[in-house]
Amino acid sequence: MKALVLILFCSVVAVYQSTAQPAARKEADIKVLVVDEKQTPLDFVSVQLLQLPDSARIVSGASDAQGQVTLPAVAVGNYLVCVSRVNYQPACQLVSVKEESDLSVVVNFQLIKSDALEAVTITARKPPVQFLPDRTVLRVDASISAAGSTALELLERAPGITIDRDGNISLKGRDQVLVMIDNKPSYLSSSELSALLSGMSSNDIESIELIDKPPAKFDAAGNGGVINIRLKKNRQRGLNGNLTLSAAQGVYPKTNNALGLNYYRGKVNLFANYSYTMNQNYLDMYALRTYLAEDDKTPLSMMSQPTYIRSRVRNHTLRTGLDYSISKRTTVGMVLSGTLLKRSSLGSGEARWSSPGSDLDSLINTSSDNGIDWKNGAVNLNLRHRFSNKHELTADLDWLDYKMTGNQDFKNIRTDDFAYTETFRGNLPSRIQIGSFKADHSISLANEAKLESGVKWATTSTDNVAAFFINTGSGWVDDLGKTNHFIYDESIAAAYTSIQQQLDRWGYQLGLRYEHTSLKAHQLGNSVVKDSAFSRSYGSLFPTVQLSFRPDSIQEWGLSFTKRIDRPPYQKLNPFVSIINKYTYQQGNPLIRPQYTYTVELSHRYKQVLNTSLSYSHSKDYFSQIFITDTSGTIYYSEGNLGDRKIFGLSVAYTQQIIPAWTLTTQLDVQHKKLKGFVWKELEASITQFNISMNNQIRLAKKWSMEVSGYFISKSQADIQEVVEPTGQLGIGIARQVLRNKGSLKLNFRDIFYTQDMEGFTIFNQATEYFRLQRDTRLVNLSLSYRFGKAGKAPARRTNKVDEADRVGN
């Protein structure tokens, strides 16, 4: 409540100051260009504008791919512009805005590698969360609590992010988020993506970008926006590297380790990153299902299902490649990556049938032994050519190959007068092959205008087999009712163009993207199930509009509109069933249609301290989980198109250096949802939900620092049939620089009060279910990271100046 009061108070202060600002006599934009020793533009450079003589920060930003950033118009006076970037020496320049100044002042920086210098001490601290006009950036290395985490755990604690029990990710209350890795879609279902992220080490990640209103350059998929995971890539001269070792203990042990090497000399930059993750976990789950009479009120019977599953994940990831400078203007590169993941789980539980008065009718003991072997490889070839400082072409060619071999073994034993034993076994091989080509062109025009355009083509081929067998005591026989062979091919062709310009106080970005989709699916039949096939072809235009207005040097207003698409997940088009337990199955739906979402947002920024936005999104035929019961009491989880979903959102982000040693960052997201659609009857739901996250960075001494972070999610609802109770966690960490400041030692304690559980209530046709899930989230982690090697001398200064992934079932 204190954090909420603080946010509301700051909002009032911001509104008051925005109306009370006197008109400046003369103002000018400050345009910053940052390059390295080779005059190559540097992106993600942190830029701060300080008011003299008191050095108070009045605005900040980050450079784009062209190494440029424009700071809002400021009044006559003296200022200090400071820039900093990881592995580079920070720099500052004095800037004066005079009465006779033009409308813009240009400041040029050339940054030098920090490892090429002697006795350089950098005291500036990177903020763990940075709020930019078009995205929120999470700096992984800047957070103590990130040490020893997986990518999935990082996202769980990210501002505005929620992850449900099936691994579906939502951003500011909107699901169907497009997850990208280094600007490339991951091409995986929610469960497969969850497995990949739970094996990905935070040591491999430089930053995570949360983009809730992506421009036309991005794929149109994802009504919730885009999450882009940027992996580390070192470009220091010479031979150097970094090593990170971590060990954690909850109920079970965990370890997360990584080694990165880089060699950069002349025209060649070679790099390699390897990580190993071992994660033992558990799932303690309880479900109480109540079956009802036709009036949907009178209880007929009850079934409780306590289940305990212990799992182990081992993950090896290798990523290597090179960049070669053909000339001063042309660079080509190749990246090879691969993952070996092995997950195994052993489960035991019960199905207790009882009367409404809780008298036990029957008891069925259940056990499971499931696993998956995952192998994937990827090849990327890329080209970057700069025709001039204002004219650039980039191209990427990608090939991905996923091979997954899964096994499922379930045994059910009943020991009363109706005793029986039945065992199910499933072999689940799957292969996904993806090819993609894209090219992007950008050119800067007169009057600060920039034109971008591009094309993309992607093709996906999946081949999934599920061979099930059953043994009731007479030996194994084919279970043809569940056996399944599904083949799916899809291609997407896309083209886009966009233009952006800053005109004194006004700015705009207008974009239009076209995507055309063609697909063919074939369900191979057997003696029990008929063969079936279907195909579709459709296309659509996706406009994006972003307008901005700066009334003065400390404020900026924005208005945006986007249209986005979510295509049916590949695996969820597969009509056959898979086993969850004896009385719960999952079934695909080949009739799912794409959903389209329209979103409009009004935003306000104040001094890089307070960001506020109001949004409204409307989805027609939106995707939703659907839960159906049959006459035996079995529940089938499926997905389909329902009616309307409307979401009204408010987001407030506040970051401030409270005192020199304490920086607070917090974000509040509130959504009011209205859902309606037909399942077995017309259903409607309405809920107001919120989540709040906070991060406190505290400098204790010269080499010591501390972090206190946490989040809270209120009662929420993503599907029309299911409500989830509040959850959250609190963590604390401490860090110290060691080994002559080349290393850092971090100790953190996550989920201190063991509150990151998941509890909820689901309604079915003539049934309801209460569920609770608890995982191994309370743990202590110790991490050591060390940088080694020595960069070569900085090169002499030169005179030249300066996305199909997320849907394999999601």
Side-chain angles (χ1 to χ4, degrees), residues 243-257:
L243 173 67
T244 301
L245 304 173
S246 69
Q249 182 66 51
V251 174
Y252 299 112
K254 302 165 178 59
T255 185
N256 194 330
N257 312 281

Side-chain angles (χ1 to χ4, degrees), residues 61-81:
S63 62
D64 58 18
Q66 284 71 45
Q68 300 175 4
V69 62
T70 300
L71 303 177
V74 294
V76 171
N78 295 321
Y79 300 89
L80 195 64
V81 179

Side-chain angles (χ1 to χ4, degrees), residues 101-332:
S101 294
D102 295 329
L103 292 178
S104 65
V105 177
V106 179
V107 186
N108 294 295
F109 286 91
Q110 178 180 314
L111 296 190
I112 301 173
K113 297 286 187 180
S114 59
D115 283 0
L117 307 173
E118 295 183 359
V120 174
T121 301
I122 302 175
T123 58
R125 303 182 62 83
K126 296 183 295 181
V129 182
Q130 186 175 13
F131 301 106
L132 302 178
D134 63 338
R135 69 194 64 193
T136 298
V137 180
L138 312 180
R139 307 284 185 181
V140 176
D141 286 345
S143 174
I144 299 174
S145 62
S149 297
T150 66
L152 189 65
E153 290 169 338
L154 291 177
L155 287 176
E156 286 178 336
R157 300 192 297 271
I161 295 291
T162 56
I163 302 177
D164 68 14
R165 59 174 171 169
D166 299 313
N168 298 304
I169 300 172
S170 297
L171 176 59
K172 294 185 177 180
R174 299 195 296 268
D175 57 1
Q176 303 297 332
V177 177
L178 174 64
V179 177
M180 308 180 76
I181 300 175
D182 273 347
N183 293 314
K184 298 175 180 61
S186 56
Y187 302 100
L188 297 174
S189 69
S190 57
S191 60
E192 292 162 346
L193 180 62
S194 178
L196 177 66
L197 296 179
S198 64
M200 181 182 292
S201 170
S202 63
N203 304 316
D204 292 333
I205 301 173
E206 178 179 329
S207 63
I208 298 177
E209 300 171 341
L210 311 179
I211 311 170
D212 58 346
K213 44 181 183 293
K217 184 176 182 178
F218 286 86
D219 290 358
N223 89 84
V226 173
I227 296 176
N228 186 28
I229 300 174
R230 296 178 66 95
L231 302 179
K232 290 180 179 177
K233 186 177 181 181
N234 199 338
R235 288 187 61 86
Q236 291 183 205
R237 290 282 184 174
L239 176 63
N240 50 81
N242 56 80
L243 173 67
T244 301
L245 304 173
S246 69
Q249 182 66 51
V251 174
Y252 299 112
K254 302 165 178 59
T255 185
N256 194 330
N257 312 281
L259 173 65
L261 296 172
N262 185 79
Y263 179 73
Y264 188 6
R265 183 176 181 179
K267 295 183 177 182
V268 178
N269 180 53
L270 297 169
F271 62 91
N273 296 281
Y274 167 76
S275 65
Y276 169 70
T277 301
M278 190 284 293
N279 190 333
Q280 294 190 58
N281 212 323
Y282 74 85
L283 173 62
D284 189 359
M285 181 172 59
Y286 176 78
L288 176 61
R289 192 175 296 172
T290 303
Y291 294 90
L292 307 173
E294 292 184 2
D295 60 4
D296 266 343
K297 294 180 181 179
T298 306
L300 296 178
S301 61
M302 302 172 68
M303 181 184 65
S304 62
Q305 291 180 289
T307 304
Y308 187 88
I309 300 173
R310 181 175 177 178
S311 62
R312 170 180 287 188
V313 178
R314 295 180 182 271
N315 185 85
H316 300 266
T317 298
L318 178 65
R319 183 172 176 267
T320 184
L322 65 86
D323 297 311
Y324 179 73
S325 299
I326 298 176
S327 67
K328 296 178 180 179
R329 298 185 181 275
T330 305
T331 301
V332 295

Side-chain angles (χ1 to χ4, degrees), residues 647-667:
I647 303 177
F648 304 84
L650 166 67
S651 179
V652 182
Y654 174 79
T655 181
Q656 181 65 48
Q657 189 177 52
I658 308 300
I659 58 176
W662 175 25
T663 300
L664 169 66
T665 301
T666 186
Q667 179 168 320

